[in-house]
Amino acid sequence: MKVLGLILAGDKGKALDKLTKKRASAAMPVGGKYRAIDFTLSNMVRSGVRKVGVITQYNPRSLMDHLGSGRDWDLDRKHGGLYILQPYADEEGMYWYRGTADAIFQNMTILKRGNEDYVLIGSGDHIYNFDFNALYDYHMISMADITVMTKSSKEYNTSLYGTIKTDEEGRILQIKEKSEKPAGDLINLGVYFMNKKLLMDLLYASVPNEKYDFLNDVVISNLKVLRVMSYKFTGYWKNIKKSVQEYKRINMDMLDSDISTELFYENGRIFTKLKDLAPPKVTPTGSVENSIVADGSIISGRVRNSVIFRNVQIKSGAMVEDSIVMEGSIIEEGAKIFNCILDKNVTIRSERTYKGYEEPLIFEKWQVV
């Protein structure tokens, strides 16, 4: 089966506050050395997708730097490969994407020129590990026009997600976007699988008529005329851009051995940009408890219940607890941080103490405090 992958990665993720001031939510660092987009991109590659278009818009520099030529995901190919799909200007003018359907429509060339029969659409800021071959099989067996990946809503605040009602067969009857009154007991995971020609027809029928949103104007508006089926996913799945607390929770979840085993081992590897760094080092004055410490970091202080990214220095007498410390940051001698998120290259000066209370305390890139 030839499948084109499209990853929607143009969102800022406003709820992430200062953390997405200079990067899209899909470029958010997570789990010590990964970016959010690594999960959907790796899932697609491991599921046989050899051509992937990443649709960007908001501040894509960090994302483009991370993805490069796609080599780390085996997507630097003569045929297929990785395509960065940005808004552009031509003789008729310049258009920002006016919605998710418009974003795909403006890149219709990648649909027209390929020899793929199907299209798999996912989001760049979702954290999960899944073999899409199971979704492909379900799509064929159920004779669906569109298959939407869903999950039980039990552990989620349904007012923040699209909710779905199905019949006994699994056919989707109703979808509501972020409503206080959910449509049903499933949430929409933002993964769509369908025939490529059907997608092109639906886009030509909606976008020129100023209907720019993929879910509302392509999927929901055709629920009665198309066979739209629900594929129920049962594993770990989170949306990183819902809130700062959710972002921190996802990182802390990775300290749980069951969740980290599911995300990084059971269902195949998650690929990311490689860097030639030494293994992390804990000196005789340092200690690490229930934490992730990435390559290149040197720990001379105490680290507990935290995620430490690459090339971090935690010096003697310093303490880091319930915190996320991103690449290149330095915690100087005697400094203490509790419930904090340090963006890249932050320096906490000697003997300073910072603590987040109800919400994590965020320090922006290159801050020295």
Side-chain angles (χ1 to χ4, degrees), residues 252-269:
M252 296 298 120
D253 281 349
M254 293 178 183
L255 303 181
D256 183 297
S257 60
D258 291 338
I259 292 173
S260 64
T261 298
E262 178 187 334
L263 280 178
F264 299 111
Y265 302 106
E266 278 184 353
N267 299 320
R269 287 181 59 192

Side-chain angles (χ1 to χ4, degrees), residues 143-158:
M143 295 184 287
D145 293 310
I146 302 173
T147 298
V148 181
M149 203 155 88
T150 63
K151 191 173 189 291
S152 169
S153 62
K154 283 183 181 177
E155 60 182 287
Y156 300 91
N157 178 355
T158 53

Side-chain angles (χ1 to χ4, degrees), residues 39-89:
F39 291 82
T40 296
L41 189 54
S42 298
N43 292 341
M44 285 186 174
V45 169
R46 290 197 331 270
S47 304
V49 179
R50 296 293 176 259
K51 182 177 178 182
V52 179
V54 177
I55 299 175
T56 67
Q57 179 153 277
Y58 174 77
N59 210 341
R61 189 205 58 77
S62 178
L63 192 63
M64 292 170 66
D65 177 62
H66 178 70
L67 295 174
S69 65
R71 184 184 63 180
D72 293 305
W73 297 265
D74 194 25
L75 286 172
D76 55 337
R77 295 168 166 266
K78 280 185 178 178
H79 304 289
L82 182 70
Y83 294 78
I84 305 295
L85 307 174
Q86 293 179 249
Y88 57 89

Side-chain angles (χ1 to χ4, degrees), residues 156-223:
Y156 300 91
N157 178 355
T158 53
S159 66
L160 299 177
Y161 296 87
T163 53
I164 288 178
K165 178 182 179 182
T166 64
D167 62 14
E168 293 180 355
E169 187 189 11
R171 181 169 180 172
I172 295 176
L173 303 176
Q174 186 181 19
I175 303 176
K176 279 187 180 179
E177 264 295 86
K178 300 170 186 172
S179 170
E180 294 294 335
K181 295 181 179 178
D185 59 358
L186 298 171
I187 61 167
N188 179 4
L189 303 192
V191 176
Y192 306 92
F193 185 66
M194 67 183 77
N195 182 278
K196 186 173 75 173
K197 290 183 178 176
L198 173 62
L199 173 62
M200 292 168 67
D201 288 345
L202 293 172
L203 290 172
Y204 276 116
S206 59
V207 175
N209 295 313
E210 300 185 350
K211 296 178 179 178
Y212 302 127
D213 185 76
F214 183 78
L215 178 62
N216 288 306
D217 300 322
V218 174
V219 179
I220 294 177
S221 64
N222 288 293
L223 280 180

Side-chain angles (χ1 to χ4, degrees), residues 317-320 331 334-338 348 351-355:
M319 181 180 292
V320 176
I331 317 296
K336 297 178 176 64
I337 61 169
F338 305 91
I348 304 293
E351 303 295 336
R352 301 290 179 86
T353 298
Y354 295 97
K355 183 174 184 178

